[in-house]
């Protein structure tokens, strides 16, 4: 019976590619003796086709391919029977994209979180280094969090010994990226006890009141 093919595939398929070069997709009608109109979709959105590029054979070009095209599905459908279709899903492969540095100032005994945001395909794994050595994780003080795009290191109650440069290394089979965090632990700021502040305020108020009363006393004595 009537069927379609995309780039010689008669069934849905995944197309590995990389950012940059253009990709051409060619949809062809098979086993039909009449002119068949074809439709192209990107996800749920219909792709505009010029006249002369929609009957029995239809070509589209994705240019340039970029990271955001990863996982996007293009589908060729028969206009008069949309159940006749072939889909191709782009598998855009690229290494982790991560670089740069930043400096963080943190008060002693406060918590801090270092965050790397990096996309990659295939998914990357992260490791953390301190001053160019593998970071020794302390269960009570260090916590790691990771998703497909976010890599975090949290340090609880930072100490002076936590001073240094932390490096987030994100690596996949296609390459790696790094980002440096210069952590500067500052002296803990003195905190005034609330009771002492209240007591001082009370003393000031009483002193002012006594001053007012004393002035009134003097005023009456003069008269």
């Amino acid at each position: 019976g009537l069927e379609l093919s995309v780039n010689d595939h008669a069934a849905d398929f995944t197309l590995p590619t990389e950012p940059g070069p253009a990709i051409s997709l060619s949809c062809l009608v098979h086993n039909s003796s009449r002119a068949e109109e074809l439709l192209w979709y990107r996800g749920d959105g219909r792709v505009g086709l010029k006249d002369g590029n929609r009957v029995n054979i239809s070509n589209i070009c994705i240019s340039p391919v970029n990271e955001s095209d990863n996982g996007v599905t293009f589908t060729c459908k028969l206009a008069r029977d949309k159940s006749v279709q072939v889909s191709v899903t782009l598998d855009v492969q690229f290494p982790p994209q991560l670089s740069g540095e930043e400096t963080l100032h943190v008060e002693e005994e406060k918590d801090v979180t270092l965050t790397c945001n990096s996309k990659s395909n295939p998914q990357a794994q992260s490791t953390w280094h301190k001053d160019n050595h593998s970071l020794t994780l302390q269960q009570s003080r260090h916590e790691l969090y990771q998703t497909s795009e976010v890599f975090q290191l949290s340090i609880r109650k930072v100490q002076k010994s936590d001073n240094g440069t932390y490096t987030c290394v994100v690596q996949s089979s296609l390459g790696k990226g790094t980002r440096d965090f210069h952590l500067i632990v500052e002296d803990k700021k003195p905190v005034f006890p609330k009771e002492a502040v209240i007591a001082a305020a009370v003393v000031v108020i009483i002193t002012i009141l006594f001053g007012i009363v004393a002035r009134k006393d003097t005023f009456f004595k003069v008269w």
Side-chain angles (χ1 to χ4, degrees):
L2 188 150
E3 62 180 31
L4 304 180
S5 69
V6 172
N7 290 17
D8 298 324
H9 291 263
D12 297 348
F13 68 103
T14 298
L15 180 62
T17 184
E18 60 186 28
I23 291 176
S24 293
L25 301 177
S26 181
C27 184
L28 186 63
V29 177
H30 299 271
N31 306 324
S32 176
S33 57
R34 53 175 281 187
E36 300 285 359
E37 183 183 358
L38 297 171
L39 306 174
W40 273 104
Y41 290 83
R42 175 191 167 104
D44 295 327
R46 189 164 160 184
V47 177
L49 299 173
K50 293 181 179 179
D51 292 338
N53 186 31
R54 61 180 67 177
V55 177
N56 289 346
I57 184 169
S58 180
N59 301 293
I60 61 172
C61 181
I62 301 104
S63 178
V65 174
N66 57 47
E67 290 83 355
S68 63
D69 292 317
N70 183 47
V72 173
T73 297
F74 290 86
T75 304
C76 179
K77 298 183 179 184
L78 194 67
R80 66 181 175 90
D81 182 0
K82 293 184 177 62
S83 66
V84 180
Q85 62 178 50
V86 177
S87 294
V88 51
T89 301
L90 300 187
D91 179 21
V92 184
Q93 300 184 353
F94 54 96
Q97 298 169 317
L98 186 66
S99 62
E101 59 183 313
E102 61 182 275
T103 300
L104 295 92
H105 296 262
V106 184
E107 190 179 323
E108 198 173 6
E109 293 191 11
K110 292 287 182 70
D111 297 344
V112 66
T113 297
L114 315 180
T115 302
C116 285
N117 296 295
S118 177
K119 292 183 179 181
S120 63
N121 181 36
Q123 185 174 335
Q125 297 296 316
S126 71
T127 55
W128 288 88
H129 294 212
K130 182 188 177 188
D131 298 329
N132 297 319
H133 294 90
S134 292
L135 177 64
T136 302
L137 298 176
Q138 299 176 28
Q139 189 173 359
S140 60
R141 298 188 59 242
H142 296 119
E143 184 178 340
L144 297 179
Y145 172 78
Q146 176 175 327
T147 67
S148 61
E149 298 179 12
V150 178
F151 308 89
Q152 289 183 336
L153 167 66
S154 296
I155 306 174
R156 295 192 188 93
K157 295 187 176 180
V158 296
Q159 305 166 359
K160 289 288 188 177
S161 59
D162 293 319
N163 266 315
T165 297
Y166 293 77
T167 304
C168 171
V169 182
V170 180
Q171 187 159 10
S172 76
S173 57
L174 296 181
K176 72 176 182 179
T178 63
R179 184 172 181 82
D180 288 335
F181 297 85
H182 305 294
L183 184 64
I184 299 172
V185 181
E186 300 177 336
D187 291 337
K188 188 177 180 181
K189 295 174 184 174
V191 178
F192 293 103
K194 190 184 294 183
E195 294 80 2
V197 174
I198 293 172
V202 169
V203 169
V204 170
I205 292 169
I206 291 173
T207 303
I208 292 170
L209 289 174
F210 271 119
I212 293 171
V213 170
R215 283 180 191 166
K216 282 186 177 179
D217 211 21
T218 306
F219 178 77
F220 286 120
K221 282 180 180 178
V222 170
W223 283 91

